[in-house]
Amino acid sequence: MSLNKLFKATLSAAALFAVAGTAAHAEEWKFAHEESPGDVQDLYAQEFKRLVEEKTDGDVSVTIYTYGQLGTENDITELTAAGAVQFSNASPGHLGTFVPEIQVFGVPYLLSQDNDVNKKVLSSSPTIYDGLGKDFEPKGLKLYTMYPEGEMVWTTKKEVTTPDDFDGVKFRVMTSPILIETYKSFGSDPVALPWGEVYSGLQTSVIDAQVNPIFFVESAKFYEVTDYLIYAGQQQYTTTVVSNADFYAGLSDERKELLAEVKAELDDFIYDAQTKANEAALDRIKEAKPEIEVIRLTDEQREAFKEASKGIGASLVDEVGGDTQEVLDALRKEFGTAM
């Protein structure tokens, strides 16, 4: 960690400890995530809090910090690595600077179209927990779990059902080489734009399209400035939950067993919760904007995008190196999406 980052982490830690102690006799665990109250990560964190406090009879209290309270996505990962936060969400796009191989989850069409398969793999995969998990620990992190937050949906100003339809479409992506290359392969003109500029960018046609889970499309109101919601099946937004490695290692066997029980219950909870959250968000969008068009690509239409982007995995392997190829091959086998 750089001196500047360490200074930021120290200041944030001081702020955290200043507000600690709300429960005089309870051990406090801090859980920071990347989203707003009521979003999918918050649903997970709130249920984690409920289960931990219930199973410890209040001996442990969990304090939740939502988006922005402790800084950016990278800040909360750094705070977790530094030990100021015990648990946090870290999505693969941001976690890639810590564990580069985790970026395989940005490869299009990696996950299954069957969420039962995704649940099994993301909650118990040996490739993830025995393989990738080891790469977290030298960074001061312990991989606790992974889960999807819902299909990434394109919101566009024109109908898109083939790669040719993307010609000339300025598509907003995060600043990520794999995302930029992916949306080039799909036929669009990718534009890296900060999150805070997406709505105005769509409104003023600086960009023509963007991608997010539907619950986020609804909460950020991106549907107000686009005309189509397109389900192409290319990706689900996946997130990890990590803990501080030293914190976890120092837990008693009883506490570790408790966390394993909580994880197992949450593995079931979050799939149902994110499905309901995304369905409810889509219903609210349709009610707020009845003229919006929802398009679900057929298997044949999806195959065209899958074919166009089939070289993305190889590009990531070339960029990241290490054991990325082995991780990608193993995960494709586990998800049943081998090409």
Side-chain angles (χ1 to χ4, degrees):
M1 183 182 294
S2 69
L3 288 175
N4 182 51
K5 289 180 178 178
L6 182 60
F7 180 66
K8 286 169 62 182
T10 302
L11 286 179
S12 297
L16 284 169
F17 293 131
V19 300
T22 53
H25 303 293
E27 178 183 354
E28 185 189 21
W29 294 354
K30 302 175 186 71
F31 193 134
H33 64 75
E34 306 170 316
E35 294 174 357
S36 299
D39 284 346
V40 172
Q41 290 182 14
D42 192 55
L43 297 178
Y44 188 99
Q46 294 291 348
E47 185 67 2
F48 177 92
K49 171 183 172 69
R50 186 188 72 81
L51 289 170
V52 167
E53 292 179 353
E54 178 183 274
K55 290 176 181 292
T56 62
D57 293 324
D59 288 343
V60 175
S61 67
V62 178
T63 303
I64 296 170
Y65 296 88
T66 58
Y67 177 77
Q69 288 185 300
L70 299 180
T72 67
E73 295 91 342
N74 284 341
D75 289 336
I76 65 173
T77 302
E78 290 172 359
L79 286 167
T80 308
V85 170
Q86 284 70 48
F87 294 89
S88 65
N89 280 91
S91 300
H94 300 290
L95 195 57
T97 56
F98 287 78
V99 183
E101 291 86 351
I102 200 73
Q103 294 175 82
V104 296
F105 287 96
V107 173
Y109 299 100
L110 172 65
L111 268 65
S112 172
Q113 298 301 312
D114 182 344
N115 251 352
D116 287 337
V117 173
N118 293 332
K119 179 166 74 170
K120 180 179 179 181
V121 175
L122 291 176
S123 63
S124 61
S125 163
T127 303
I128 295 172
Y129 294 96
D130 297 337
L132 280 173
K134 293 177 182 177
D135 296 331
F136 283 69
E137 294 179 13
K139 307 296 184 181
L141 301 170
K142 166 75 175 177
L143 178 60
Y144 181 60
T145 195
M146 291 192 75
Y147 62 86
E149 298 188 51
E151 182 173 343
M152 295 284 277
V153 180
W154 299 333
T155 61
T156 68
K157 297 184 179 183
K158 62 176 286 191
E159 182 175 342
V160 174
T161 59
T162 71
D164 286 344
D165 294 334
F166 261 143
D167 185 36
V169 172
K170 299 185 291 292
F171 200 107
R172 183 265 174 175
V173 295
M174 291 187 290
T175 306
S176 161
I178 187 173
L179 286 176
I180 290 170
E181 189 165 347
T182 293
Y183 280 89
K184 279 184 180 177
S185 76
F186 285 160
S188 74
D189 297 331
V191 178
L193 198 68
W195 176 85
E197 298 176 23
V198 174
Y199 186 96
S200 62
L202 289 166
Q203 193 173 38
T204 59
S205 295
V206 170
I207 52 175
D208 307 307
Q210 68 84 47
V211 62
N212 262 297
I214 202 69
F215 80 85
F216 196 82
V217 170
E218 192 258 339
S219 65
K221 300 188 182 300
F222 293 150
Y223 65 90
E224 292 181 344
V225 285
T226 48
D227 302 305
Y228 296 87
L229 303 175
I230 301 171
Y231 290 74
Q234 82 288 353
Q235 192 178 16
Q236 292 210 37
Y237 188 82
T238 56
T239 186
T240 70
V241 176
V242 294
S243 68
N244 175 267
D246 289 340
F247 158 79
Y248 185 87
L251 291 173
S252 66
D253 289 343
E254 181 183 10
R255 285 282 191 262
K256 289 177 181 176
E257 180 60 31
L258 178 145
L259 283 171
E261 292 175 5
V262 169
K263 177 187 178 303
E265 292 187 40
L266 283 167
D267 286 341
D268 290 327
F269 165 84
I270 196 59
Y271 280 80
D272 183 53
Q274 66 91 2
T275 297
K276 289 179 178 176
N278 283 299
E279 288 175 349
L282 181 57
D283 287 342
R284 288 192 294 269
I285 289 173
K286 289 177 177 178
E287 183 177 356
K289 189 173 182 177
E291 69 273 21
I292 200 159
E293 293 196 41
V294 179
I295 299 174
R296 297 182 187 273
L297 299 192
T298 65
D299 289 343
E300 183 178 357
Q301 289 168 331
R302 292 181 181 197
E303 190 62 34
F305 287 101
K306 185 176 180 180
E307 180 67 21
S309 61
K310 67 180 181 181
I312 299 300
S315 295
L316 180 67
V317 170
D318 289 342
E319 179 188 338
V320 174
D323 59 356
T324 307
Q325 184 68 66
E326 291 78 6
V327 170
L328 183 58
D329 290 344
L331 287 174
R332 279 176 168 160
K333 184 175 181 180
E334 291 179 27
F335 284 117
T337 55
M339 294 184 176

